[in-house]
Amino acid sequence: MTQNYTPTFKNWLSLLLLILLWGTSFMFTAVSLESFSPVAIVSLRVLIAAIILTLFMYAKGWRLPVEPLAWAVFLLLGIMGNLLPFFLISTGQKDISSGITGLLMAFMPLATMILAHYFVVGESLNRFKIFGFVLGITGVVIVLWPSLVSAHSNLLSGLLILLATFSYAINAILVRRLPSYNPVVKAAGMMIISSIVIVPLWLWQDLPWQQSYSLKATLSLLWLGIGPTAFGTILLFAVIATAGPTFLSYINYLIPIVAYFTGVLLLGEAMEWRSLAAMLLIILGIALTRKRVTDSIQQPR
């Protein structure tokens, strides 16, 4: 049975906050990279989020599961949904701008659509989805074209960002196929197990107590853990619970725009017609994939 949702003003406000949190995260990552390594950024993001989400979970009266299967699920989702994409994005942003990163990350719903065709029942491709994917991949090629023709090192960085989109896409499929848990408990468990995996590596590799960090980079990294990672996760589940996943999908149209223009306006990154054209193609591609094929009898939506 399909549940009907009617978004409220609070839902729209939450959606706007989520767009701002996630759309500006690439800018804060760029600033954090001035002092911190990609491993440090990943470690502190998940560690800070783990602390906040665990406190929030216990304040709500929820508890972490004890069965090994739950923690195996959390580990798998933590790797694909946190550790791997965070590391790929941070590494890729060492050579490409935050705005371009945001544009490339907009490919994630298209990557999810392709994987869902093979691994999720009832998510088959149709002509609109295929054409939307073609538009989206055309936008990606436009972004990466200068690096493709000149064999520039930026190409590898762009490919790392695209790998991050597929990591998120795989995680989205896994969430639908693996055992389900309370969303906040699951998020806290993912952050906890991710911290256990990555923080020792960071301490061993970077020896952070021997490093010096700028105040701007430190505050940016702290905000990445508090805002986009922890608070963003809480907002995400609140919006899904009260307004539904379809309403949440509107973020796919706006996050790349926010990411691109915050990079231009606040970090002084270059604004190019090629990037704007790519943004338009990717967003149109996402919109087209949501169009339904009309059957002889119209099914209720």
Side-chain angles (χ1 to χ4, degrees), residues 39-50:
V39 172
I41 292 173
V42 176
S43 299
L44 289 170
R45 283 189 72 168
V46 297
L47 179 59
I48 293 169

Side-chain angles (χ1 to χ4, degrees), residues 242-262:
T242 59
T246 300
F247 177 75
L248 177 70
S249 68
Y250 291 139
I251 65 174
N252 295 321
Y253 304 106
L254 297 175
I255 285 179
I257 298 174
V258 172
Y260 188 79
F261 285 103
T262 52

Side-chain angles (χ1 to χ4, degrees), residues 20 43 56 62 66 73 77 80 106 122 129 144 146-148 157 170 175 185 216 222 224-225 228 234 241 256-257 299:
L20 292 175
S43 299
F56 179 79
W62 301 320
V66 296
V73 170
L77 295 179
M80 300 308 300
K129 290 182 177 182
L144 297 179
S147 299
L148 286 170
S157 298
I170 292 170
V175 166
V185 172
K216 182 172 69 171
L222 288 174
L224 279 174
I234 295 171
I257 298 174
Q299 298 297 319

Side-chain angles (χ1 to χ4, degrees), residues 6-38:
T6 302
T8 64
F9 175 76
K10 183 179 179 180
N11 294 144
W12 283 105
L13 182 60
S14 297
L15 189 75
L16 176 61
L17 288 175
L18 197 54
I19 290 167
L20 292 175
L21 286 171
W22 286 354
T24 58
S25 66
F26 307 106
M27 176 187 69
F28 287 109
T29 298
V31 175
S32 300
L33 283 167
E34 295 176 3
S35 292
F36 293 90
S37 69

Side-chain angles (χ1 to χ4, degrees), residues 108-283:
M108 192 276 286
L110 299 175
T112 305
M113 176 194 72
I114 295 298
L115 293 177
H117 171 73
Y118 295 101
F119 298 106
V120 178
V121 176
E123 294 289 343
S124 300
L125 292 173
N126 57 46
R127 62 181 180 271
F128 296 117
K129 290 182 177 182
I130 293 172
F131 188 43
F133 179 82
V134 171
L135 285 179
I137 200 68
T138 302
V140 169
V141 171
I142 289 174
V143 171
L144 297 179
W145 184 252
S147 299
L148 286 170
V149 297
S150 62
H152 196 275
S153 60
N154 287 4
L155 175 60
L156 176 59
S157 298
L159 293 177
L160 291 178
I161 301 300
L162 287 179
L163 281 177
T165 70
F166 277 94
S167 180
Y168 278 128
I170 292 170
N171 188 67
I173 301 300
L174 291 174
V175 166
R176 298 179 67 170
R177 295 183 64 92
L178 293 176
S180 180
Y181 300 90
N182 176 288
V184 176
V185 172
K186 179 166 60 178
M190 289 167 54
M191 297 298 177
I192 291 170
I193 197 69
S194 296
S195 300
I196 293 172
V197 170
I198 195 68
V199 169
L201 175 62
W202 166 51
L203 297 176
W204 173 76
Q205 174 181 292
D206 285 8
L207 303 176
W209 52 89
Q210 296 182 1
Q211 310 299 323
S212 59
Y213 306 103
S214 72
L215 178 61
K216 182 172 69 171
T218 301
L219 292 177
S220 293
L221 183 48
L222 288 174
W223 174 247
L224 279 174
I226 296 169
T229 313
F231 186 53
T233 298
I234 295 171
L235 268 180
L236 167 70
F237 293 128
V239 171
I240 290 176
T242 59
T246 300
F247 177 75
L248 177 70
S249 68
Y250 291 139
I251 65 174
N252 295 321
Y253 304 106
L254 297 175
I255 285 179
I257 298 174
V258 172
Y260 188 79
F261 285 103
T262 52
V264 170
L265 297 175
L266 300 180
L267 296 182
E269 296 173 354
M271 182 170 66
E272 301 175 341
W273 69 266
R274 182 179 62 250
S275 300
L276 296 175
M279 180 194 304
L280 179 60
L281 285 174
I282 294 172
I283 292 174

